[in-house]
Amino acid sequence: MLAPPARSAIFLVLTVRDGDEAADTVRGVLGDVAALVRSVGFRIPEAQLSCVTGIGSDLWDRLYPEAARPAHLHPFRALAGTVPSVVTGAAHQAPSTPGDLLFHIRSTRQDTCFELSRQLMVRLGEVAEAVDEVHGFRYYDERDLLGFVDGTENPGGAIAIDTVFVGDEDHEFAGSSYVIVQKYLHDLDAWGRLTVEQQQLIVGRTKSDDIELPDDVKPTNSHVAVNTIVDTDGNEQRIVRENMPFGSAGAGEFGTFFCGYAADPRITELMLSRMFIGEPEGNYDRILDFSRAVTGCSFFVPTASFLEDQAD
Ligand code: HEM
């Protein structure tokens, strides 16, 4: 998850059928994900194929009833804004939608992402159903479809490692992570009717050269201001985002698949609360006036060795 930004990604969100047999099959497949990545990716090393496996709260209890429970694993908590949008008139909603499993597949080549997703679905067979499948692509110089560079302020190096991996505080799960995903659909027509200056005030950065606006210019309800959180000791609360643009010109569907990793998912949840409810309440994130969340799921990401051990 800390590899350089992917050129291609597939986000597969699956539900798993009821019953012990389905759980046995899934446990076995999850233990083989690393081997499948090697089978698909080894022949094309330059593709840098990787796959992150996320497990939802309900499925965790079915798969690993004997194992400990990750401290912060719970279903995605839906959020409902409390004031009407100044553009649509409706309060913003972050729905919670079904999702037992997430495969976040990344590569420099779409073919390897596709092949791994195919192999995973073959192995899972009838026991899993895809409830969402998003094929994301790199859009120019890491831009989202709103035209802004996305990912600039992601932490790197040692800070990224601390941000993403559970430490010794939950020692049984050290080296694991949490991921929250949401599919956002943009109203590109409405966005396109804004001037670049208006768009910049909504995002909090300049559009062409991606510079953060000065504090006295950047509105408190800009996306960047809402998501810049500093705790009482002055430490910035960070997550690592692996967002990808996706779309279908024919269907007129354009969006951002939000994917946020954190050692402590309460940070991502706080960001979501600030975006949808606002801090203070009502000061919601202006990006939501042009982009609506249509899915929302939370997952725990165990280490590959945990998945392999549990499958044996
Ligand atoms: C429609 C969906 C979204 C779009 C298009 C989007 C786009 C962007 C863009 C263009 C930036 C500025 C460049 C950067 O530093 O990456 C940014 C920053 C950021 N976004 Fe988002 N984002 C979306 C959703 C979210 C969500 C749901 C969260 C958190 C739950 C989030 C958290 C952040 C954070 C933490 C920053 C960095 C703030 C800073 O320290 O400067 N974003 N996003």
Side-chain angles (χ1 to χ4, degrees), residues 224-240:
V224 163
V226 165
N227 284 297
T228 304
I229 306 178
V230 178
D231 71 12
T232 43
D233 299 330
N235 301 314
E236 190 162 342
Q237 306 286 285
R238 296 190 173 89
I239 63 172
V240 167

Side-chain angles (χ1 to χ4, degrees), residues 11-38:
F11 299 93
L12 257 184
V13 179
L14 311 176
T15 51
V16 173
R17 212 195 260 171
D18 289 340
D20 291 344
E21 232 172 273
D24 284 347
T25 304
V26 170
R27 223 177 2 255
V29 175
L30 297 191
D32 279 350
V33 171
L36 280 174
V37 173
R38 287 193 292 277

Side-chain angles (χ1 to χ4, degrees), residues 28 38 79 81 98 129 145 191 199-200 207 212-213 231 234 244 269 296:
R38 287 193 292 277
L79 290 162
E129 184 191 348
L145 295 182
W191 182 251
Q199 293 179 350
Q200 293 183 159
K207 190 169 185 179
E212 186 168 349
L213 299 183
D231 71 12
M244 291 297 271
E269 289 165 353

Side-chain angles (χ1 to χ4, degrees), residues 144 149-153 184 205 223-224 236 241 256 258 291:
D144 61 45
V149 177
D150 188 6
T152 313
E153 290 299 334
Y184 283 87
R205 300 183 75 94
H223 183 63
V224 163
E236 190 162 342
R241 293 164 287 130
T256 294
F258 167 77
S291 195

Side-chain angles (χ1 to χ4, degrees), residues 4-308:
R7 283 167 190 263
S8 286
I10 293 181
F11 299 93
L12 257 184
V13 179
L14 311 176
T15 51
V16 173
R17 212 195 260 171
D18 289 340
D20 291 344
E21 232 172 273
D24 284 347
T25 304
V26 170
R27 223 177 2 255
V29 175
L30 297 191
D32 279 350
V33 171
L36 280 174
V37 173
R38 287 193 292 277
S39 297
V40 176
F42 182 71
R43 288 164 285 156
I44 313 160
E46 68 276 15
Q48 296 168 33
L49 179 69
S50 65
C51 178
V52 173
T53 303
I55 301 172
S57 179
D58 296 347
L59 184 65
W60 180 273
D61 296 332
R62 290 177 56 202
L63 292 183
Y64 311 119
E66 311 287 316
R69 216 171 188 281
H72 304 298
L73 178 61
H74 56 76
F76 181 87
R77 294 181 179 136
L79 290 162
T82 53
V83 296
S85 155
V86 293
V87 172
T88 66
H92 296 301
Q93 307 285 333
S96 175
T97 53
D100 287 325
L101 277 177
L102 168 74
F103 292 117
H104 175 194
I105 304 172
R106 324 162 80 235
S107 171
T108 62
R109 290 176 43 157
Q110 195 184 4
D111 57 353
T112 52
C113 289
F114 172 76
E115 179 59 9
L116 181 59
S117 67
R118 194 180 73 80
Q119 294 287 351
L120 287 165
M121 291 312 289
V122 167
R123 285 290 308 276
L124 288 165
E126 296 288 296
V127 308
E129 184 191 348
V131 286
D132 196 22
E133 174 171 350
V134 170
H135 293 223
F137 51 83
R138 181 178 177 184
Y139 187 56
Y140 293 90
D141 45 343
E142 307 293 348
R143 289 182 189 263
D144 61 45
L145 295 182
L146 301 177
F148 283 74
V149 177
D150 188 6
T152 313
E153 290 299 334
N154 259 339
I159 298 180
I161 291 172
D162 285 349
T163 299
V164 156
F165 297 116
V166 173
D168 287 335
E169 70 282 359
D170 196 1
H171 64 96
E172 279 179 90
F173 294 115
S176 306
S177 191
Y178 293 83
V179 60
I180 292 181
V181 298
Q182 287 177 299
K183 181 154 96 176
Y184 283 87
L185 297 181
H186 307 321
D187 182 346
L188 282 194
D189 290 338
W191 182 251
R193 286 194 290 273
L194 302 178
T195 63
V196 169
E197 287 68 29
Q198 288 170 322
Q199 293 179 350
Q200 293 183 159
L201 291 173
I202 289 171
V203 173
R205 300 183 75 94
T206 59
K207 190 169 185 179
S208 83
D209 48 11
D210 186 30
I211 306 291
E212 186 168 349
L213 299 183
D215 284 347
D216 56 343
V217 176
K218 185 175 49 196
T220 59
N221 59 2
S222 64
H223 183 63
V224 163
V226 165
N227 284 297
T228 304
I229 306 178
V230 178
D231 71 12
T232 43
D233 299 330
N235 301 314
E236 190 162 342
Q237 306 286 285
R238 296 190 173 89
I239 63 172
V240 167
R241 293 164 287 130
E242 297 283 344
N243 301 357
M244 291 297 271
F246 66 91
S248 159
E253 187 177 273
F254 309 100
T256 294
F257 196 86
F258 167 77
C259 177
Y261 288 99
D264 184 345
R266 290 173 297 184
I267 297 175
T268 322
E269 289 165 353
L270 179 59
M271 290 175 177
L272 287 171
S273 166
R274 289 168 58 105
M275 285 179 69
F276 285 82
I277 313 280
E279 176 55 51
E281 194 173 318
N283 190 48
Y284 69 78
D285 188 330
R286 285 291 328 276
I287 215 169
L288 299 178
D289 287 333
F290 302 89
S291 195
R292 102 194 129 88
V294 294
T295 69
C297 301
S298 293
F299 303 95
F300 180 67
V301 181
T303 59
S305 51
F306 175 92
L307 295 175
E308 283 165 12

